[in-house]
Amino acid sequence: TIGPAVDLPASYKEARRQVLDAFNKDYLAKALERHGGNVSAAAREIGIERQYFYKILKTLELAGQGRQEGAEEPSNDEGDEPQELSSKT
């Protein structure tokens, strides 16, 4: 099989959402674990903006898993695609 199991009969759109949600949940949880729950460090390592990381956590109802000292949870309403970090040289 390719990818995680998907319960059928689901529409393609629903099956795709299930697979992406499972991937995002696992990937972000591992990044958070690796950085002791520090969202900024985890987002930096995987190459996405901290705000988008929070957006994914909120979408997956995992918002309480990350910690950010002294910071509020920001919002990013610029679309559903990740904001990649730009390289500063």
Side-chain angles (χ1 to χ4, degrees):
T1 64
I2 298 174
V6 176
D7 295 329
L8 293 177
S11 68
Y12 171 81
K13 184 176 181 178
E14 179 59 23
R16 182 175 182 264
R17 187 194 60 77
Q18 289 176 10
V19 170
L20 288 174
D21 285 354
F23 168 79
N24 283 335
K25 185 175 183 178
D26 185 52
Y27 192 78
L28 270 57
K30 286 179 181 175
L32 281 172
E33 181 181 326
R34 185 173 164 111
H35 292 281
N38 185 308
V39 173
S40 293
R44 191 175 314 116
E45 178 186 43
I46 65 174
I48 64 172
E49 294 287 339
R50 177 179 48 89
Q51 294 87 347
Y52 187 66
F53 198 109
Y54 273 115
K55 182 177 181 177
I56 298 170
L57 291 177
K58 185 175 181 179
T59 300
L60 298 174
E61 298 178 359
L62 300 173
Q65 288 194 9
R67 68 168 176 77
Q68 179 76 25
E69 293 182 20
E72 296 180 22
E73 184 177 318
S75 64
N76 179 3
D77 296 327
E78 294 180 15
D80 293 329
E81 294 302 315
Q83 303 290 317
E84 293 191 17
L85 294 175
S86 59
S87 300
K88 294 182 181 178
T89 54

